[in-house]
Amino acid sequence: MKIAPLHIVLVLAIVATTAFAQSSSDQRHITPVKPSTNTVLRPAKGTKEEVVQRYLQGDTASANEELRRDSLKRVYPHYPMLTQASFGLSFGDALLMAFGQKYGNFGVSATLNMWNRIQPEVELGVGFANNTPEDMNFTYKGKLAPYFKLGANYNFTFKSEPKYQVYAGVRLGFSAFKYDVTNVTYTDHYWNESQAFELKGQSSHALWGELLAGLRVQVWENLSFGWQARYRGIFAEKKNPQAKPWFIPGYGDRDKSFAFTMSVYYTIPLSLDKWPKIEDPKDKNSKTK
């Protein structure tokens, strides 16, 4: 059976059209690929030269790690573990006694500034009282007695230079002391008679805790002043049924939960060669001009 030449031409035309359509469809689904390049982008200006060389040599992993560490140092300056040692003298009660306060606490402190963040501190001092309350019928005399406090501060301004500090802290205090209660008068309203007596040689001890918030500012070279607001509470004390102590050395008036203290400090820098170099904004502005 012979096929007419026209039929052969039609068949070939259909086959060619189908093949061309298939080829066009395949080309539409091909995703163009950007040719690879061996070009290494140079790090930002100001990068250490050794880090730049790592980039150029293709060691980008260690170079990126070095840049990350450098950026963290700029954001969080890392001070050495032993940053400073400070010795303080409290003088707030001396000023308050000049304005009529009837008791005083005077102490010294030693503070170790670690990483410019954590600051263990110990306080030692003495306290005394001599008060005749106007609305009471007795005279209270707290004999000179020592007190001891142990605690730590946390410096919230650890990113800045240590000469300016804003911090919060805790203290645990203890004191053993003696006191006299004299000129005690008792009136029997039935017989309308008054009696006077004294309670001398009373003794007690107390354990208390404090939460504090403070500010310290350098005023001249190694000299700085500090202010602290304290919230206090008594944990335990020796019960004395005859006369409860009105004053506790290192604590103050037992009926007052809040106190305000002031101190002067002398600070000794430690490991100064390891302190981070923090640029002064004035120097930066002068360079840009």
Side-chain angles (χ1 to χ4, degrees), residues 20-90:
F20 178 78
Q22 182 67 31
S23 176
S24 300
S25 176
D26 293 341
Q27 290 180 0
R28 283 195 300 270
H29 288 84
I30 295 176
T31 302
V33 179
K34 184 178 180 180
S36 60
T37 177
N38 292 327
T39 303
V40 178
L41 297 178
R42 188 179 181 89
K45 185 178 180 180
T47 306
K48 295 180 181 178
E49 184 60 30
E50 57 267 24
V51 179
V52 174
Q53 293 302 322
R54 292 183 197 174
Y55 266 105
L56 297 178
Q57 295 171 6
D59 188 6
T60 57
S62 62
N64 283 329
E65 180 63 22
E66 182 71 20
L67 287 175
R68 188 185 72 84
R69 287 196 295 267
D70 288 345
S71 63
L72 288 177
K73 288 180 181 179
R74 287 192 293 270
V75 176
Y76 299 102
H78 183 72
Y79 284 84
M81 182 180 72
L82 301 180
T83 306
Q84 291 176 319
S86 298
F87 303 93
L89 174 66
S90 62

Side-chain angles (χ1 to χ4, degrees), residues 162-184:
K163 60 184 179 181
Y164 304 110
Q165 298 180 16
V166 178
Y167 57 88
V170 295
R171 298 289 188 275
L172 184 65
F174 177 81
S175 179
F177 52 95
K178 293 183 178 181
Y179 57 97
D180 296 334
V181 182
T182 60
N183 299 326
V184 183

Side-chain angles (χ1 to χ4, degrees), residues 113-165:
N113 189 359
M114 305 175 66
W115 302 287
N116 199 31
R117 287 201 189 192
I118 308 299
Q119 302 172 347
E121 182 171 312
V122 60
E123 299 180 39
L124 299 172
V126 294
F128 62 92
N130 191 347
N131 185 26
T132 302
E134 295 180 358
D135 56 344
M136 295 295 179
N137 60 340
F138 64 89
T139 297
Y140 183 94
K141 184 176 183 180
K143 299 179 180 180
L144 189 68
Y147 67 85
F148 172 81
K149 296 182 185 181
L150 182 65
N153 303 327
Y154 181 84
N155 178 24
F156 293 103
T157 55
F158 61 90
K159 297 181 185 179
S160 303
E161 294 185 70
K163 60 184 179 181
Y164 304 110
Q165 298 180 16

